[in-house]
């Protein structure tokens, strides 16, 4: 059996094209490859002392204090080989556990990620709210990083990012980029957002809109002439808008609908699907841009009609997830079985696939 040494395990996981590595009691180190969890061969099962050794090897004194209090800890870790990782340390059944997301040191372009040109258009808007949504592990952070990099390469702007933790390091190109990490540079997302408005930004990236205060601050920042980009753990544009509106008290929801109708640029909802050749994963999207017709639906509280509006909005670059899944299946990029697992309406998907609509 091989020793459990964090840096060699992370290097091995990268060589195997893993996206995540996990340490949990009673199992050997685990990794996720193309969406599937598997054991790393040749290692013994992790025990609590082994996991504590892993934690001690990757944490600072301040992070150790947080963990010793029994709290979850989110932070970044740079391995001996210089590669970046997003880390979460948590407890389960009285034991510690560690989840590490393996990050790229380079920032992929929108072209590298095979993302549609509309995302480049979103990123170069002078003001408004751009939302990238999807489940955990769907590539939201990578898409946002590519959009920020597109601004950085093509526009003279001041970009402020607020992240927990910082995942991709942006160097100054055409733009000036200042990156603030929650718990290291600032106390909270909402606090950093309020401060950002006094720091002369053109673009503000908020890593995640987790609560009412952050959502309200982001919507207000978009309204006051900044381009605000953020993420939500939602699936689909309509659900995303409903989630935002629902966090407001009932007497403020009408105002929120009006703010979104006036300031929303677009919503990108994505999920990752294994490629048919088994060599990677591809982002499948639902893409909505805020047309006058969609703005009217938001303002009137008729978000349930938005999916139909997206499905008929191809001329404006829009498409539903089912349309995109069907298109990628027809091209042979993904398998039909994988597409069916992720589609929202199987009958609609089949109709798109066979060209009936």
């Amino acid at each position: 059996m091989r020793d459990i040494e964090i840096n060699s395990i992370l290097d091995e996981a990268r060589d195997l094209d893993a996206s995540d590595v996990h340490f949990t009691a009673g199992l050997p180190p685990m990794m996720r490859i193309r969406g599937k969890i598997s054991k790393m061969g040749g290692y013994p099962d992790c025990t609590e002392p082994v996991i504590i050794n892993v934690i001690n090897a990757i944490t600072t004194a301040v992070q150790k204090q947080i963990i010793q209090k029994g709290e979850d800890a989110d932070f970044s870790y740079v391995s001996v080989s210089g590669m970046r990782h997003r880390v979460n340390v948590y407890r389960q059944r009285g034991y510690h556990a560690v989840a590490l997301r393996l990050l790229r040191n380079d920032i992929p372009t929108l072209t590298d990620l095979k993302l549609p040109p509309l995302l480049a258009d979103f990123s170069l808007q002078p003001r408004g709210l751009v939302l990238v949504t999807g489940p955990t592990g769907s590539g939201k952070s990578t898409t946002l990083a590519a959009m920020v990099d597109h601004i950085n390469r093509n526009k003279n702007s001041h970009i402020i990012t607020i992240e927990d933790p910082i995942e991709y390091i942006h160097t100054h190109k055409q733009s000036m980029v200042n990156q603030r990490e929650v718990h290291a540079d600032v106390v909270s997302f909402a606090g950093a957002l309020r401060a950002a408005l006094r720091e002369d930004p053109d673009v503000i990236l908020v890593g995640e809109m987790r609560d009412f205060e952050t959502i309200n601050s982001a919507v207000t920042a978009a309204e006051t002439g900044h381009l605000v980009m953020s993420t939500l753990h939602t699936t689909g544009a309509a659900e995303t808008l409903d989630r935002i509106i629902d966090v407001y008290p009932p007497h403020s929801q009408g105002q929120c609908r009006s703010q979104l109708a006036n300031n929303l640029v677009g919503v990108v909802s994505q999920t990752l699907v294994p490629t048919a050749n088994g060599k990677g994963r591809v982002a499948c999207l639902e893409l909505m841009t805020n047309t006058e017709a969609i703005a009217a639906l938001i303002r009137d509280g008729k978000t349930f009609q938005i999916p139909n509006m997206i499905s008929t909005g191809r001329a404006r670059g829009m498409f539903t997830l089912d349309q995109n899944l069907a298109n990628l299946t027809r091209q042979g990029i993904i398998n039909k079985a994988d597409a069916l697992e992720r589609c929202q309406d199987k009958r609609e998907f089949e109709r798109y696939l066979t060209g009936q609509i």
Side-chain angles (χ1 to χ4, degrees):
M1 285 287 179
R2 294 185 285 173
D3 291 338
I4 294 179
E5 198 282 315
I6 181 65
N7 289 287
S8 61
I9 286 173
L10 291 174
D11 289 343
E12 180 183 344
R14 282 187 186 276
D15 290 342
L16 294 169
D17 200 26
S19 61
D20 301 82
V21 170
H22 295 268
F23 297 91
T24 192
L27 285 171
M30 306 292 287
M31 60 184 171
R32 186 182 294 275
I33 300 178
R34 290 180 283 281
K36 296 182 179 179
I37 289 283
S38 60
K39 296 178 180 179
M40 297 187 73
Y43 291 99
D45 289 351
C46 293
T47 61
E48 177 72 357
V50 166
I51 296 172
I52 293 297
N53 285 340
V54 168
I55 293 169
N56 287 336
I58 61 176
T59 50
T60 64
V62 172
Q63 291 157 359
K64 286 182 177 69
Q65 287 177 356
I66 293 170
I67 293 163
Q68 285 165 4
K69 291 178 186 175
E71 299 176 17
D72 288 6
D74 292 293
F75 53 94
S76 57
Y77 172 68
V78 179
S79 66
V80 170
S81 56
M83 304 304 292
R84 291 181 58 80
H85 306 80
R86 188 183 77 197
V87 187
N88 178 265
V89 177
Y90 60 102
R91 291 180 67 86
Q92 58 89 25
R93 296 192 332 197
Y95 298 103
H96 287 86
V98 185
L100 298 102
R101 170 68 46 84
L102 280 60
L103 304 174
R104 293 172 56 157
N105 277 18
D106 63 312
I107 300 173
T109 65
L110 294 171
T111 304
D112 292 338
L113 298 174
K114 299 180 173 60
L115 294 171
L118 195 55
L119 270 69
D121 295 342
F122 285 177
S123 63
L124 295 180
Q125 292 299 307
R127 65 189 61 84
L129 181 64
V130 175
L131 298 172
V132 179
T133 77
T136 299
S138 60
K140 299 185 295 297
S141 297
T142 303
T143 295
L144 272 178
M147 293 174 77
V148 168
D149 187 61
H150 188 75
I151 301 168
N152 196 9
R153 290 173 184 272
N154 292 283
K155 201 171 179 181
N156 183 265
S157 299
H158 180 200
I159 304 167
I160 292 179
T161 78
I162 307 162
E163 303 171 71
D164 183 18
I166 292 170
E167 296 191 22
Y168 290 91
I169 302 294
H170 294 272
T171 57
H172 309 300
K173 296 173 184 174
Q174 281 269 68
S175 293
M176 174 173 66
V177 188
N178 286 310
Q179 296 183 258
R180 309 190 72 191
E181 184 166 312
V182 176
H183 304 307
D185 303 307
V186 70
V187 173
S188 66
F189 280 114
L193 254 171
R194 287 193 300 272
L197 298 181
R198 301 188 293 273
E199 293 157 2
D200 187 35
D202 299 293
V203 179
I204 305 171
L205 181 143
V206 184
E208 188 180 340
M209 299 204 301
R210 294 178 177 172
D211 51 40
F212 168 73
E213 194 175 4
T214 305
I215 290 171
N216 187 46
S217 298
V219 171
T220 301
E223 191 173 40
T224 53
H226 306 86
L227 181 67
V228 179
M229 308 165 74
S230 191
T231 70
L232 280 166
H233 291 285
T234 49
T235 55
E239 182 187 330
T240 298
L241 297 171
D242 288 340
R243 174 75 60 85
I244 291 172
I245 293 164
D246 286 347
V247 302
Y248 282 77
H251 67 273
S252 299
Q253 290 182 358
Q255 179 186 347
C256 176
R257 281 194 290 269
S258 179
Q259 288 175 302
L260 288 172
N262 293 335
N263 300 299
L264 184 69
V265 172
V267 180
V268 183
S269 298
Q270 68 180 59
T271 186
L272 293 177
V273 180
T275 53
N277 62 15
K279 294 182 179 179
R281 292 187 292 174
V282 63
C284 295
L285 311 178
E286 176 177 280
L287 198 49
M288 186 203 84
T289 186
N290 188 20
T291 63
E292 288 184 11
I294 285 178
L297 293 178
I298 297 169
R299 199 174 285 112
D300 296 339
K302 297 179 179 177
T303 52
F304 62 90
Q305 294 182 16
I306 285 176
N308 184 56
M309 193 71 71
I310 295 171
S311 68
T312 57
R314 296 182 195 183
R316 301 294 296 271
M318 294 190 282
F319 46 81
T320 66
L321 178 64
D322 290 351
Q323 286 173 321
N324 194 214
L325 287 167
N327 185 39
L328 292 171
T329 303
R330 278 198 302 271
Q331 294 178 53
I333 295 172
I334 62 174
N335 292 321
K336 182 178 178 181
D338 290 322
L340 281 168
E341 275 186 16
R342 291 161 176 82
C343 70
Q344 294 171 325
D345 185 318
K346 287 183 170 56
R347 283 188 294 184
E348 290 288 289
F349 168 78
E350 291 284 1
R351 291 170 66 195
Y352 291 130
L353 191 61
T354 57
Q356 294 178 34
I357 52 176

